[in-house]
Each structure stands twice: as structure tokens, then as C-alpha cells.
Amino acid sequence: MDVNKTKLNGSDIFAINQVWNEKEASKLPARTLAYIGDSVYELSLRLNLVATGIDETGRLHDSLVGIVNSPAQAQVFEVIFPELPEAEQKMVKSWRNAKIPARYGSGTRGEYARATALEAWCGYLFVTGQTDRLTKIIELALKLEKEKKEK
């Protein structure tokens, strides 16, 4: 079945019905926020890929793998972190410095720490209803991936 992706008119991000209290959400452990943020980040990118028309067998997964990994997420973190207000930088730093498991997947230990902080940040933005800021992170991830492919 052919689907006209231009007529989907959907969003490439989703929203939470009732936002959480920012002060209380910031107290959640980094791993808890990263658990939420990992899903939010990946689903937002998946929705974007489908909306842009990438739907050939295997291409969706292959397109996503380059964006959803520790080195790529660490790169997004490096761009976003300096732009955050000081209070938010402090919060994100604490998430970056959370305990790292012995097995941490692709990339270096430092990349894993920055990727986890990014995921925690995405989780925090999602549960507190800050979807505009979350959308900017997704757009940045897509932009950096496009630039990487053009090189």
C-alpha cells in the first residue's frame, strides 16, 4: 500500500497528558530519567524517519542506528550543554556523573556518560511538558547525522 507521507500531518514528537512537577522530576535518579528519555528520544526519531518517507526494508533501522548510540548522543550533548542555563547545567552534570555500569555498549565511557545525561535530559523535558525544547534536541540530532553523512 502506498502512503502519501506529506498527508500524514502528524507530529514527529508526542506529549504527556499531565506534566510532572519540575522540582520533583529533577530529584529522580539519572537512570530513571534516562530510562524514560531513551524511549522518548528514539520514538521521536522513529516518527521523524517514517514521516520523511524512509520505509524500505531495513532502512528505518539502519537510519536510526547512526543516531541512537552513545557517540552520536554524546555529540548532541556537547552542542546542547553549553547553551543551558547554569542551574540546568548543574542538574545535567549530576546526571552525567551518575554511576556507569561495567558494560556500557558502544563508544567510550565518557561518551556513555554524556549520552546518559542527554537521555536523562530528554526524559526530564518530556515529563515536565517541555516539548519545544525536546523538539530542538531531536532536530539537532537529525542535523548532526545529516552533516556526518554528507562528509
Side-chain angles (χ1 to χ4, degrees):
M1 172 178 19
D2 290 330
V3 176
N4 184 342
K5 304 279 188 309
T6 60
K7 292 185 178 181
L8 284 176
N9 295 328
S11 173
D12 58 358
I13 198 150
F14 50 100
I16 190 168
N17 285 338
Q18 175 126 11
V19 298
W20 296 7
N21 176 290
E22 288 183 31
K23 185 176 180 182
E24 293 304 310
S26 69
K27 294 178 187 177
L28 289 169
R31 285 188 179 179
T32 301
L33 287 169
Y35 177 75
I36 295 166
D38 177 55
S39 297
V40 169
Y41 188 80
E42 186 169 339
L43 182 57
S44 296
L45 290 166
R46 285 178 183 224
L47 290 170
N48 183 281
L49 290 173
V50 170
T52 59
I54 301 172
D55 63 355
E56 296 169 18
T57 304
R59 286 211 40 221
L60 282 170
H61 178 74
D62 292 346
S63 297
L64 194 65
V65 170
I67 305 171
V68 183
N69 61 56
S70 294
Q73 289 175 286
Q75 184 183 14
V76 173
F77 175 89
E78 291 298 330
V79 174
I80 289 171
F81 183 77
E83 298 174 3
L84 297 177
E86 188 175 334
E88 291 178 358
Q89 282 187 354
K90 185 177 178 182
M91 189 168 51
V92 173
K93 272 185 189 177
S94 73
W95 296 333
R96 182 189 65 197
N97 295 329
K99 184 178 177 190
I100 297 174
R103 295 180 51 135
Y104 46 83
S106 68
T108 66
R109 187 174 176 86
E111 287 170 332
Y112 181 86
R114 291 188 304 276
T116 300
L118 177 72
E119 290 172 347
W121 183 238
C122 288
Y124 174 81
L125 293 175
F126 177 74
V127 299
T128 59
Q130 299 181 57
T131 54
D132 289 344
R133 294 179 79 190
L134 184 55
T135 299
K136 288 180 182 174
I137 293 172
I138 301 305
E139 289 170 351
L140 175 62
L142 291 165
K143 177 184 172 212
L144 292 173
E145 179 65 10
K146 182 180 178 185
E147 289 172 357
K148 185 169 60 174
K149 286 181 178 180
E150 290 174 351
K151 287 183 180 181

